[in-house]
Each structure stands twice: as structure tokens, then as C-alpha cells.
Amino acid sequence: MKFVRYGEPGQEKPGVLDADGEIRDLSGLIPDLTGSVLVNLGALFGLDLTVLPKVEGQPRLGPPVGGTGKYLGIGLNYADHAAEAGLAVPPEPVLFMKATSAICGPDDPIIIPRGAEKIDWEVELAVIIGKPAKYVSEQEALSHVAGYAVSNDVTERGFQFDRAGQWTKGKSSDNFGQLGPWLVTPDEIADPQALRLWLTVNGKTMQDGTTATMVYGVAYLIHYLSQIMTLLPGDVISTGTPPGVAMGRTPPPYLKPGDVLELGVEGLGLQRQRVVADGW
């Protein structure tokens, strides 16, 4: 199934796509697509979607999960991306936190914060946790997944590398976490390690890769992270990006106002964002 959240920021309602790709409203059955609902998401399987109210028009789509407690980012998880960054493949997954306030809808704009000059893109496969995971084995890890989504891990490279401190400050500005359009349940994704990822800027292909080349796969990442902290329903893991980011090009074509990005992951839908300056 493909679940969505639609409506204005902070007022999203839960929905689901029917066989024709139309949004059907779920707000009469569940309050929202948050962790407490994801635990029992299976109760919605087999639902007759034709009896649900159809959502008219083209509403804004929000992130397909609400109330996320943790947004966990994995760095340098594609060997060829590590090479373009001039960094070694890590002996263990590189973990950083992205502020949950950065999470926004799939087509919401990328906002350039004040003082930023090195805005970069990163198309990624996101994993949304559906039941608590603590000390889970790699073999049982995927049973804790509620669904998968497209993620754009927008990054300000100057904030990330040119200032003292951790990567988090380069990852956490407002609208640096486009997520969606859909939460796609695992029954529709035969193998999360066999998905194509791609991204274009102003119509030019910048990234075109596959999750098959991840250094650490989805099951291992869930296993690994669950040894460090309990993963809770609604938590998001963004699993790393293939090569082709601006930082790895000469000269780096960092984003500027007016640029348009389109990106997607096979089976998980598309995103489209326009880059704008912060109006504050």
C-alpha cells in the first residue's frame, strides 16, 4: 500500500492511494500516520478503498509520516560517493542526526538559509520504522520496517565541513529534509537493495545509482543502530546517497535560487523542489 499525508503544513491528514492513484481519506479511521498508528498499520491491509472519501484536486503532500522522533542519517554509505568526497569507506556506518524540524513535504521548496553558499543535494532511500527495534538481529531487522520513502538529504557543505563541530549543523536547516511522496509498505518492495535512485537539476542528470552498491544494507543498518539506541515507530533512517553530488564536481554547481530539482527512487514516487532564498 501507498500511504500519504496531505494538507497544509502542520494540518496534514492521513490518506492512501487507490488503484487509480487517487488519494482516499483515512481520517475517519485513524488520526494520523504517526508511530502509534504504524505499529498497527497491518490492520488497514485489505481495506476496501473504494468506500473511502476521495480527496479532490491536487492537495499539497506532506511527509508521509508525522511525529518523527529521530531522523538518522547515514554518511558515506556508497563507496563511489565516499571516493568523490575524498573520504575513506568507513569501517562502520557513519551516523549523524538531522533535526526533525528540517522534515517537510516532497515538493516543498529548498530554502537557502542566511550565510549559506554551498547547498547540495542527496537523493536517498529512507526507511520508516514500524515497531520498536532494540538489539535486533540482521535477520529479523526488516520485520521492523513500516515502509520506504524517497528522501532528499539537503546539505549545506560550508556548515557541514568548514565550521567546527558535527555534520548535524549542515543537515538541519529548515526544509532540508524532503520526505515522500509516499510511505510504501514492504510488500510492494521485493528487495530494498535493488532500487534505482536518480536526481536531476534543471533537467540535467546529476545522480543515477542503485541501492545495490550500498556499503551497509538496510537490514544491517537497522541491526547496527538498534545496538546503540532503540528505534521507535515513526523514526526515519536516511540510508546514504550514490555519487553525483555537487561537492564532487569541479567546479561544484551548488544550488542557487530558481534551480529546480527532480528526484526519485524506483517504486517510491517522485519529488520536485524549487530552490528559494530564506525570506525571513
Side-chain angles (χ1 to χ4, degrees), residues 162-241:
D162 300 342
R163 296 183 173 187
Q166 299 177 337
W167 287 8
T168 298
K169 66 177 66 175
K171 301 283 188 175
S172 296
S173 295
D174 295 345
N175 285 45
F176 270 25
Q178 282 80 4
L179 193 64
W182 314 319
L183 182 158
V184 181
T185 52
D187 57 294
E188 295 200 14
I189 303 299
D191 182 359
Q193 303 308 144
L195 302 176
R196 177 177 171 245
L197 310 85
W198 60 270
L199 180 145
T200 68
V201 179
N202 300 327
K204 180 180 179 180
T205 297
M206 295 297 190
Q207 292 185 275
D208 191 354
T210 169
T211 58
T213 63
M214 279 185 185
V215 178
Y216 302 104
V218 171
Y220 183 82
L221 290 173
I222 295 170
H223 154 72
Y224 177 87
L225 293 170
S226 78
Q227 312 305 307
I228 300 170
M229 67 191 82
T230 302
L231 303 176
L232 298 173
D235 285 351
V236 175
I237 306 170
S238 202
T239 58
T241 198

Side-chain angles (χ1 to χ4, degrees), residues 8-223:
E8 294 305 306
Q11 301 177 28
E12 292 94 346
K13 295 181 179 180
V16 62
L17 295 191
D18 64 19
D20 297 321
E22 301 285 343
I23 299 176
R24 299 284 181 156
D25 179 57
L26 284 172
S27 60
L29 300 176
I30 57 174
D32 198 356
L33 285 162
T34 56
S36 60
V37 171
L38 296 184
V39 172
N40 299 305
L41 198 61
L44 298 176
F45 287 21
L47 198 65
D48 181 2
L49 303 184
T50 63
V51 304
L52 298 175
K54 183 181 292 187
V55 177
E56 301 297 335
Q58 298 292 325
R60 168 193 173 269
L61 295 182
V65 59
T68 294
K70 295 189 289 295
Y71 188 118
L72 304 166
I74 306 298
L76 307 176
N77 199 29
Y78 289 73
D80 35 12
H81 171 57
E84 72 174 350
L87 300 169
V89 174
E92 295 187 22
V94 170
L95 171 65
F96 61 86
M97 306 292 283
K98 196 177 188 90
T100 55
S101 57
I103 299 174
C104 60
D107 300 329
D108 289 346
I110 294 172
I111 300 173
I112 300 178
R114 292 179 184 178
E117 298 179 347
K118 299 179 180 179
I119 303 292
D120 209 343
W121 57 81
E122 295 188 13
V123 60
E124 305 196 2
L125 169 66
V127 180
I128 300 167
I129 298 297
K131 65 179 182 179
K134 184 178 178 69
Y135 302 133
V136 300
S137 69
E138 189 172 352
Q139 291 69 34
E140 65 178 331
L142 294 184
S143 69
H144 292 261
V145 175
Y148 302 97
V150 183
S151 167
N152 190 3
D153 176 23
V154 181
T155 306
E156 211 299 324
R157 300 298 185 190
F159 294 1
Q160 180 185 16
F161 292 121
D162 300 342
R163 296 183 173 187
Q166 299 177 337
W167 287 8
T168 298
K169 66 177 66 175
K171 301 283 188 175
S172 296
S173 295
D174 295 345
N175 285 45
F176 270 25
Q178 282 80 4
L179 193 64
W182 314 319
L183 182 158
V184 181
T185 52
D187 57 294
E188 295 200 14
I189 303 299
D191 182 359
Q193 303 308 144
L195 302 176
R196 177 177 171 245
L197 310 85
W198 60 270
L199 180 145
T200 68
V201 179
N202 300 327
K204 180 180 179 180
T205 297
M206 295 297 190
Q207 292 185 275
D208 191 354
T210 169
T211 58
T213 63
M214 279 185 185
V215 178
Y216 302 104
V218 171
Y220 183 82
L221 290 173
I222 295 170
H223 154 72

